[in-house]
mmCIF file of all heavy atoms in Angstrom:
data_model
loop_
_atom_site.group_PDB
_atom_site.id
_atom_site.type_symbol
_atom_site.label_atom_id
_atom_site.label_comp_id
_atom_site.label_asym_id
_atom_site.label_seq_id
_atom_site.Cartn_x
_atom_site.Cartn_y
_atom_site.Cartn_z
ATOM 1 N N MET A 1 0.850 -1.227 -0.006
ATOM 2 C CA MET A 1 -0.001 -0.009 0.014
ATOM 3 C C MET A 1 0.883 1.249 -0.013
ATOM 4 O O MET A 1 1.993 1.245 0.506
ATOM 5 C CB MET A 1 -0.927 0.001 1.214
ATOM 6 C CG MET A 1 -1.917 -1.159 1.212
ATOM 7 S SD MET A 1 -2.949 -1.208 2.678
ATOM 8 C CE MET A 1 -3.957 0.238 2.438
ATOM 9 N N SER A 23 -9.697 7.637 -0.036
ATOM 10 C CA SER A 23 -10.805 6.715 -0.371
ATOM 11 C C SER A 23 -10.301 5.509 -1.165
ATOM 12 O O SER A 23 -11.082 4.575 -1.390
ATOM 13 C CB SER A 23 -11.847 7.467 -1.196
ATOM 14 O OG SER A 23 -12.391 8.545 -0.487
ATOM 15 N N VAL A 27 -4.067 3.054 -0.922
ATOM 16 C CA VAL A 27 -3.325 4.113 -0.245
ATOM 17 C C VAL A 27 -3.394 3.878 1.269
ATOM 18 O O VAL A 27 -4.458 3.933 1.849
ATOM 19 C CB VAL A 27 -3.920 5.512 -0.599
ATOM 20 C CG1 VAL A 27 -3.201 6.594 0.225
ATOM 21 C CG2 VAL A 27 -3.763 5.776 -2.087
ATOM 22 N N ALA A 54 8.589 5.474 9.937
ATOM 23 C CA ALA A 54 7.228 5.926 10.171
ATOM 24 C C ALA A 54 6.864 7.108 9.293
ATOM 25 O O ALA A 54 5.670 7.329 9.013
ATOM 26 C CB ALA A 54 7.104 6.348 11.668
ATOM 27 N N GLY A 71 5.937 23.257 -8.770
ATOM 28 C CA GLY A 71 6.017 21.800 -8.662
ATOM 29 C C GLY A 71 7.177 21.225 -9.449
ATOM 30 O O GLY A 71 7.819 20.239 -9.019
ATOM 31 N N PHE A 81 18.113 13.434 -4.853
ATOM 32 C CA PHE A 81 18.266 12.446 -3.756
ATOM 33 C C PHE A 81 18.544 11.075 -4.353
ATOM 34 O O PHE A 81 18.192 10.787 -5.497
ATOM 35 C CB PHE A 81 17.027 12.420 -2.885
ATOM 36 C CG PHE A 81 16.815 13.640 -2.034
ATOM 37 C CD1 PHE A 81 15.930 14.628 -2.432
ATOM 38 C CD2 PHE A 81 17.482 13.815 -0.847
ATOM 39 C CE1 PHE A 81 15.753 15.776 -1.663
ATOM 40 C CE2 PHE A 81 17.317 14.936 -0.083
ATOM 41 C CZ PHE A 81 16.425 15.927 -0.484
ATOM 42 N N GLU A 94 -1.896 21.922 -19.072
ATOM 43 C CA GLU A 94 -1.440 20.804 -19.902
ATOM 44 C C GLU A 94 -0.084 21.070 -20.568
ATOM 45 O O GLU A 94 0.576 20.161 -21.007
ATOM 46 C CB GLU A 94 -2.474 20.546 -21.009
ATOM 47 C CG GLU A 94 -2.851 21.700 -21.871
ATOM 48 C CD GLU A 94 -1.920 21.880 -23.065
ATOM 49 O OE1 GLU A 94 -1.235 20.929 -23.427
ATOM 50 O OE2 GLU A 94 -1.886 22.969 -23.606
ATOM 51 N N LEU A 110 -4.724 15.994 -15.114
ATOM 52 C CA LEU A 110 -5.273 17.315 -15.314
ATOM 53 C C LEU A 110 -6.427 17.591 -14.372
ATOM 54 O O LEU A 110 -7.265 16.726 -14.110
ATOM 55 C CB LEU A 110 -5.725 17.552 -16.755
ATOM 56 C CG LEU A 110 -4.595 17.654 -17.795
ATOM 57 C CD1 LEU A 110 -5.224 17.721 -19.201
ATOM 58 C CD2 LEU A 110 -3.715 18.840 -17.539
ATOM 59 N N ARG A 131 3.904 -2.888 -6.213
ATOM 60 C CA ARG A 131 2.843 -3.148 -5.234
ATOM 61 C C ARG A 131 1.626 -3.718 -5.928
ATOM 62 O O ARG A 131 1.533 -3.745 -7.153
ATOM 63 C CB ARG A 131 2.446 -1.831 -4.513
ATOM 64 C CG ARG A 131 3.610 -1.064 -3.959
ATOM 65 C CD ARG A 131 4.162 -1.633 -2.676
ATOM 66 N NE ARG A 131 5.386 -0.930 -2.254
ATOM 67 C CZ ARG A 131 5.425 0.171 -1.558
ATOM 68 N NH1 ARG A 131 4.292 0.750 -1.186
ATOM 69 N NH2 ARG A 131 6.551 0.727 -1.196
ATOM 70 N N ALA A 137 -13.152 -0.723 -6.092
ATOM 71 C CA ALA A 137 -14.398 -1.032 -6.736
ATOM 72 C C ALA A 137 -15.061 0.226 -7.317
ATOM 73 O O ALA A 137 -15.112 1.276 -6.667
ATOM 74 C CB ALA A 137 -15.366 -1.683 -5.764
ATOM 75 N N THR A 141 -9.844 1.794 -14.469
ATOM 76 C CA THR A 141 -8.537 2.348 -14.816
ATOM 77 C C THR A 141 -8.274 2.141 -16.263
ATOM 78 O O THR A 141 -9.063 1.487 -16.977
ATOM 79 C CB THR A 141 -7.419 1.692 -14.007
ATOM 80 O OG1 THR A 141 -7.336 0.308 -14.379
ATOM 81 C CG2 THR A 141 -7.673 1.807 -12.505
ATOM 82 N N GLY A 142 -7.150 2.680 -16.744
ATOM 83 C CA GLY A 142 -6.847 2.549 -18.150
ATOM 84 C C GLY A 142 -6.306 1.189 -18.460
ATOM 85 O O GLY A 142 -6.185 0.301 -17.623
ATOM 86 N N ALA A 146 -0.547 0.229 -20.345
ATOM 87 C CA ALA A 146 0.042 1.547 -20.257
ATOM 88 C C ALA A 146 0.993 1.694 -19.082
ATOM 89 O O ALA A 146 1.796 2.603 -19.033
ATOM 90 C CB ALA A 146 -1.059 2.603 -20.113
ATOM 91 N N ASP A 173 0.725 22.957 -30.639
ATOM 92 C CA ASP A 173 -0.223 23.528 -31.600
ATOM 93 C C ASP A 173 -1.539 23.961 -30.969
ATOM 94 O O ASP A 173 -2.284 24.719 -31.572
ATOM 95 C CB ASP A 173 -0.538 22.488 -32.681
ATOM 96 C CG ASP A 173 0.684 22.137 -33.504
ATOM 97 O OD1 ASP A 173 1.380 23.041 -33.937
ATOM 98 O OD2 ASP A 173 0.941 20.943 -33.723
ATOM 99 N N VAL A 186 -8.019 24.304 -27.891
ATOM 100 C CA VAL A 186 -8.186 25.449 -28.819
ATOM 101 C C VAL A 186 -6.889 25.601 -29.618
ATOM 102 O O VAL A 186 -5.803 25.617 -29.067
ATOM 103 C CB VAL A 186 -8.468 26.756 -28.017
ATOM 104 C CG1 VAL A 186 -8.496 27.979 -28.978
ATOM 105 C CG2 VAL A 186 -9.750 26.654 -27.250
ATOM 106 N N TYR A 200 -4.006 35.076 -14.601
ATOM 107 C CA TYR A 200 -4.719 34.364 -15.666
ATOM 108 C C TYR A 200 -4.564 35.125 -16.986
ATOM 109 O O TYR A 200 -4.134 36.257 -17.035
ATOM 110 C CB TYR A 200 -6.203 34.245 -15.358
ATOM 111 C CG TYR A 200 -6.541 33.363 -14.181
ATOM 112 C CD1 TYR A 200 -6.296 33.742 -12.848
ATOM 113 C CD2 TYR A 200 -7.085 32.088 -14.357
ATOM 114 C CE1 TYR A 200 -6.564 32.931 -11.766
ATOM 115 C CE2 TYR A 200 -7.391 31.250 -13.292
ATOM 116 C CZ TYR A 200 -7.110 31.703 -12.010
ATOM 117 O OH TYR A 200 -7.425 30.858 -10.935
ATOM 118 N N ARG A 226 5.485 32.000 -33.011
ATOM 119 C CA ARG A 226 4.245 31.847 -33.760
ATOM 120 C C ARG A 226 3.684 33.205 -34.217
ATOM 121 O O ARG A 226 2.547 33.251 -34.673
ATOM 122 C CB ARG A 226 3.211 31.084 -32.941
ATOM 123 C CG ARG A 226 3.609 29.646 -32.683
ATOM 124 C CD ARG A 226 2.553 28.939 -31.842
ATOM 125 N NE ARG A 226 2.891 27.532 -31.740
ATOM 126 C CZ ARG A 226 2.532 26.632 -32.637
ATOM 127 N NH1 ARG A 226 1.847 26.980 -33.699
ATOM 128 N NH2 ARG A 226 2.894 25.365 -32.481
ATOM 129 N N LEU A 239 0.298 38.800 -34.776
ATOM 130 C CA LEU A 239 0.639 39.811 -35.768
ATOM 131 C C LEU A 239 -0.242 39.690 -37.011
ATOM 132 O O LEU A 239 -0.691 40.694 -37.563
ATOM 133 C CB LEU A 239 2.128 39.681 -36.135
ATOM 134 C CG LEU A 239 2.798 40.866 -36.769
ATOM 135 C CD1 LEU A 239 2.824 42.056 -35.825
ATOM 136 C CD2 LEU A 239 4.208 40.483 -37.218
#
Side-chain angles (χ1 to χ4, degrees):
M1 297 177 69
S23 299
V27 175
F81 290 99
E94 56 85 20
L110 289 175
R131 310 282 173 86
T141 65
D173 297 313
V186 175
Y200 292 75
R226 294 180 173 274
L239 199 64

